[in-house]
Amino acid sequence: TKIERGPSVLRITLVDSEHPDTGKLTMTFQENPFVLKQWKVVDPEGKVITVALSGAERDVALMPKLFEFKDPTSSHKPFGPNAN
């Protein structure tokens, strides 16, 4: 719904057009290099949750196990690239 530019910053605000009263998401990107720095969620009651990223590293190898989903309500084994 909105795009804002500032010095070395790009801010994009998104709203679900089918359900605009469910809140909004604003993502803030640093330019040069283009990096996500922050996102802000405004819920239907107007409460704001802000997540800021710092010290991000690029081209770092991550263990596939980090992306395995373990359902806390199930006794089944996890699934994912290295699920055993």
Side-chain angles (χ1 to χ4, degrees):
T1 58
K2 188 177 189 182
I3 297 175
E4 301 171 272
R5 276 196 168 313
S8 302
V9 173
L10 175 66
R11 191 169 291 117
I12 302 171
T13 301
L14 306 167
V15 175
D16 183 345
S17 60
E18 293 182 19
H19 307 282
D21 57 338
T22 59
K24 65 182 176 180
L25 168 69
T26 301
M27 297 179 292
T28 302
F29 297 89
Q30 167 188 309
E31 293 185 312
N32 219 7
F34 194 71
V35 178
L36 176 63
K37 297 301 282 183
Q38 173 181 297
W39 65 88
K40 184 187 306 187
V41 176
V42 180
D43 73 8
E45 288 82 39
K47 295 179 185 169
V48 179
I49 299 169
T50 302
V51 177
L53 306 174
S54 64
E57 297 179 36
R58 296 176 61 155
D59 301 320
V60 175
L62 300 174
M63 298 183 318
K65 188 171 184 110
L66 292 171
F67 301 96
E68 291 177 6
F69 174 73
K70 297 176 185 171
D71 186 346
T73 64
S74 173
S75 61
H76 294 100
K77 289 186 172 188
F79 61 94
N82 291 336
N84 294 327

